[in-house]
Amino acid sequence: MPYINLKTPIPGPKSQELQARRAAAVTAALAQANPIAVKKAHGSLVEDVDGNTLIDLAGGIGVLAVGHTPQSVVEAIQAQADELLHMCSIVANYEPYVALCEALNRLTPGAFPKKTLLSSGGAEAVENAVKFARRYTGRAGILVFEGAYHGRTNLTMAMTSKWGLFKKGFGPFAPEVYRLPMPNPYRTPNGMSEEEWVDWCCWNLENALTAHIDPSALAAIVIEPVIGEGGFIPVPHKFLRKIRQICDATGAVMIADEIQSGSGRTGKLWAIEHSGVIPDLVISAKSLGGGMPISAVTGRAEILDSPHVGGAGSTYGGNPLACVAALKALEILQSPGFLEHAQHIERIVRETFEPIKSEVVALGDVRGVGAMMALEFVKDKASKEPWSDFAMNTIKEASQNGVILIRAGLYTNCIRFLPALDIPQDMLREALGVVANAIRTTHQAMAATA
């Protein structure tokens, strides 16, 4: 029996009604990838207000590695709500905050003394990490990379790539942020091998310490081990090792932004573990909270302790409800065999879409790690000219047939898959089959109008 059950066209009448209310009441600047209004969700299934059941492959943009409403997380939130809703860690201490920090100190890479600061969202955590690095080093400069996404605050917008979508009209931005190319294997320049492209980017990283910023001014290098919004690009391990070497040589802080790639998403608790590179600071959010808003900066104790007392804080950061949810989410992620589900997801995604590359010229690349996979669409396989409309139309077609998706990519021409790690394999195959058919439908429709 199929999991998808559509009782009305998508969007249904009640979804359309709520959509009209949203249009009247909510800023038009807030995008919406799928035209449905959700009533409830569990596991990987979502029920909309019209009674339609859809399969969720977006996962709240990577927040739901343990799925919607996991029982142990819900029960922990309910129990905590009876005892304490809010206190603020600046006002007084409470056990869930300390327990979560202890867990993150234990679980993040590195056999050195660690400490943690909790906050509410990813951008806030990135800002905190930069503040810690600047205070610890006494320097201001931050190196980031093309395709990176670090948030929507003024500082994190300065650090974020993809100007047109995230930065247009919002400047001026925070200074002392320097951006360099990151070796995207799919977009290796003509005349270079992938290895030569990685080597050039490593050389360029060294060269930046003369051309862009002096080592004495460099506070940190911030890197997503798998580039997220930029298109789910696994950063070559050689490049990550080069960043570590430069940070060691210059005294800069290496910061791994694991907001989207961490908390089990790639089959390890932290994506950077695949490379063996150990950063100084790790930023966590999204799936850390099991659906609740929480983020963290975890790393070397001497860095976290470098600001003056009162130099760090957050009114809602480490809220008791979010802390107990995160503790339960981490328990689920560490349960026997749970992270192995990510490998099965990657295998099934590749088995589904690799054969379509020869059938549909627009499907240029299938890539990612574990349960963090993406498809990139191009107008021509030789030129690799991005085709964002193809991705958009495919998402719309899939949505109308019961699968929730979201786009990605520096050129907004990718579809990302962020399913719950424990999505049943037959459910995943059903959802991916809908996406495959949506790709074929879009291909036929766009070829007819070309």
Side-chain angles (χ1 to χ4, degrees):
M1 179 179 295
Y3 292 95
I4 296 171
N5 182 12
L6 302 183
K7 299 178 180 180
T8 73
I10 302 294
K14 292 182 180 178
S15 285
Q16 293 182 51
E17 180 183 349
L18 189 55
Q19 195 71 22
R21 289 171 55 195
R22 170 174 165 144
V26 179
T27 171
L30 185 66
Q32 183 180 338
N34 295 267
I36 62 170
V38 176
K39 179 181 179 182
K40 60 183 180 180
H42 185 71
S44 295
L45 295 179
V46 169
E47 182 180 323
D48 73 6
V49 292
D50 294 287
N52 298 303
T53 300
L54 302 90
I55 300 175
D56 184 6
L57 297 186
I61 316 187
V63 168
L64 301 167
V66 296
H68 288 277
T69 61
Q71 182 176 352
S72 62
V73 173
V74 171
E75 290 175 350
I77 293 170
Q78 290 171 337
Q80 181 61 51
D82 282 337
E83 295 188 350
L84 182 67
L85 287 175
H86 178 71
M87 187 69 225
C88 183
S89 58
I90 299 172
V91 175
N93 196 15
Y94 45 95
E95 200 275 341
Y97 191 109
V98 177
L100 180 55
C101 291
E102 290 171 338
L104 290 169
N105 294 342
R106 182 178 70 255
L107 294 171
T108 49
F112 40 77
K114 300 190 199 109
K115 290 192 175 182
T116 292
L117 174 70
L118 302 179
S119 47
S120 300
E124 186 182 5
V126 173
E127 292 235 4
N128 284 330
V130 169
K131 283 165 42 177
F132 282 125
R134 284 175 166 170
R135 183 64 184 86
Y136 178 71
T137 61
R139 309 168 183 174
I142 306 296
L143 272 180
V144 294
F145 299 95
E146 291 177 5
Y149 178 84
H150 298 292
R152 293 177 184 265
T153 62
N154 188 265
L155 172 60
T156 57
M157 275 195 296
M159 298 169 65
T160 288
S161 192
K162 200 168 180 178
W163 189 90
L165 183 59
F166 299 118
K167 305 166 78 166
K168 182 180 180 180
F170 295 142
F173 302 108
E176 294 301 320
V177 175
Y178 303 87
R179 191 178 324 282
L180 298 176
M182 194 285 298
N184 176 356
Y186 180 65
R187 295 195 172 275
T188 296
N190 291 335
M192 276 188 175
S193 66
E194 286 186 15
E195 184 178 358
E196 289 170 337
W197 174 222
V198 174
D199 286 343
W200 183 89
C201 288
C202 288
W203 169 85
N204 191 55
L205 188 53
E206 287 271 12
N207 188 61
L209 299 180
T210 297
H212 293 284
I213 185 171
D214 191 80
S216 65
L218 181 61
I221 302 178
V222 186
I223 183 76
E224 299 168 272
V226 180
I227 301 297
E229 176 64 34
F232 284 27
I233 304 161
V235 177
H237 294 172
K238 185 174 185 178
F239 193 69
L240 291 172
R241 290 193 295 270
K242 187 65 176 179
I243 292 172
R244 179 70 271 176
Q245 291 169 6
I246 287 178
C247 287
D248 288 340
T250 63
V253 176
M254 181 178 181
I255 301 174
D257 181 343
E258 294 264 15
I259 290 169
Q260 189 163 185
S261 63
S263 304
R265 176 55 58 186
T266 65
K268 292 185 180 290
L269 276 179
W270 319 106
I272 202 162
E273 293 181 88
H274 293 282
S275 70
V277 173
I278 297 175
D280 299 304
L281 301 179
V282 173
I283 304 170
S284 309
K286 288 192 181 286
S287 282
L288 174 64
M292 293 292 285
I294 193 165
S295 60
V297 179
T298 303
R300 294 186 181 274
E302 63 269 26
I303 300 177
L304 271 288
D305 282 341
S306 61
H308 58 279
V309 175
S314 174
T315 300
Y316 291 105
N319 171 271
L321 299 178
C323 284
V324 297
L327 285 165
K328 286 299 179 182
L330 287 172
E331 281 186 18
I332 296 170
L333 291 170
Q334 294 175 83
S335 61
F338 193 86
L339 291 180
E340 294 175 12
H341 291 306
Q343 300 171 17
H344 302 308
I345 290 170
E346 179 178 351
R347 173 177 55 80
I348 292 170
V349 170
R350 292 189 183 277
E351 287 176 356
T352 302
F353 295 106
E354 285 289 353
I356 299 177
K357 288 168 67 176
S358 59
E359 175 188 346
V360 177
V361 176
L363 180 53
D365 199 23
V366 180
R367 61 171 176 265
V369 183
M372 189 175 183
M373 301 295 294
L375 311 176
E376 180 163 356
F377 297 96
V378 294
K379 293 184 177 180
D380 177 79
K381 278 188 166 64
S383 68
K384 298 179 182 177
E385 180 184 350
W387 201 353
S388 61
D389 286 346
F390 197 104
M392 172 70 84
N393 291 349
T394 299
I395 290 172
K396 181 178 179 180
E397 179 71 21
S399 176
Q400 291 173 345
N401 288 279
V403 175
I404 299 172
L405 297 171
I406 194 167
R407 290 194 294 177
L410 180 60
Y411 309 104
T412 322
N413 66 322
C414 300
I415 292 175
R416 64 179 110 180
F417 299 124
L418 291 162
L421 268 64
D422 61 349
I423 183 173
Q425 291 191 25
D426 60 340
M427 186 187 297
L428 177 63
R429 291 183 187 278
E430 179 182 341
L432 296 180
V434 170
V435 178
N437 288 334
I439 290 172
R440 295 185 178 100
T441 299
T442 300
H443 173 64
Q444 293 170 359
M446 299 193 81
T449 58

